[in-house]
C-alpha cells in the first residue's frame, strides 16, 4: 500500500508542476493528507478546506486508493456551499480521483 500512496502523491505533485508550466499556476508546494477509515460508515467530519482570512487552497485532489471500495463503506464526498444543506453527492469509485478548485 505504501507504494500506491507514494505513487499517488508523486502524481499529484506532477499535476502541480504541469499547471505551473502550462497556465502559470505559480504553486510552490503541495501538502498531503492521507486518511484510512475502517468502513461501516466511518467518515471525515464536515469541515472547511480554507478558513476565512487564512491562506487560500487553490486546488484539492481526492484520490480513492482502495480497489475494493464501494459506496456505503464511508468516505463519500459531500460538498456544502455557505453552510447550506448537502449540495452535491459525488460519484466516487475505487481507483478514481476528484479534483476541484477554490
Amino acid at each position: 500500500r505504501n507504494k500506491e500512496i507514494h505513487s499517488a502523491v508523486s502524481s499529484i505533485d506532477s499535476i502541480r508542476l504541469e499547471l505551473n508550466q502550462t497556465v502559470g499556476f505559480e504553486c510552490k508546494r503541495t501538502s498531503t493528507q492521507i486518511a484510512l477509515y475502517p468502513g461501516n460508515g466511518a467518515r471525515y467530519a464536515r469541515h472547511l478546506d480554507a478558513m476565512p482570512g487564512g491562506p487560500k487552497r487553490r486546488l484539492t485532489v481526492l484520490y480513492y486508493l482502495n480497489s475494493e471500495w464501494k459506496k456505503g463503506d464511508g468516505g463519500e464526498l459531500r460538498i456544502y456551499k455557505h453552510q447550506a444543506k448537502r449540495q452535491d453527492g459525488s460519484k466516487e469509485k475505487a481507483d478514481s480521483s476528484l479534483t476541484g478548485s477554490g
Side-chain angles (χ1 to χ4, degrees), residues 47-57 82-83:
H47 66 282
L48 298 173
D49 275 358
M51 302 307 258
K56 300 285 183 189
R57 180 174 295 176
H82 305 294
Q83 302 298 323

Side-chain angles (χ1 to χ4, degrees), residues 8 11 16 21 25-27 39 50 54 63 65-66 68 80 92:
S11 294
R16 174 189 67 87
Q21 291 174 347
F25 194 58
E26 298 180 15
C27 181
Y63 183 67
L65 286 169
N66 42 332
E68 308 85 27
Y80 297 84
E92 308 94 341

Side-chain angles (χ1 to χ4, degrees), residues 6 28 40 46 50 68-69 71-72 79-80 82 86 92:
H6 178 71
K28 293 182 171 91
N40 300 318
R46 182 176 169 181
E68 308 85 27
W69 184 88
K71 194 167 185 157
I79 299 174
Y80 297 84
H82 305 294
R86 187 174 129 204
E92 308 94 341

Side-chain angles (χ1 to χ4, degrees), residues 44-101:
Y44 193 67
R46 182 176 169 181
H47 66 282
L48 298 173
D49 275 358
M51 302 307 258
K56 300 285 183 189
R57 180 174 295 176
R58 297 177 63 204
L59 183 67
T60 298
V61 177
L62 301 176
Y63 183 67
Y64 295 84
L65 286 169
N66 42 332
S67 59
E68 308 85 27
W69 184 88
K70 61 188 178 308
K71 194 167 185 157
D73 284 347
E76 291 91 351
L77 175 67
R78 301 291 177 254
I79 299 174
Y80 297 84
K81 188 169 184 170
H82 305 294
Q83 302 298 323
K85 292 182 181 178
R86 187 174 129 204
Q87 183 88 8
D88 179 317
S90 66
K91 306 287 189 234
E92 308 94 341
K93 64 180 185 175
D95 193 29
S96 67
S97 67
L98 174 71
T99 306
S101 63

Side-chain angles (χ1 to χ4, degrees), residues 13-32:
D13 199 50
S14 295
I15 293 169
R16 174 189 67 87
L17 294 172
E18 187 170 335
L19 287 171
N20 285 348
Q21 291 174 347
T22 58
V23 297
F25 194 58
E26 298 180 15
C27 181
K28 293 182 171 91
R29 66 179 184 87
T30 57
S31 61
T32 304

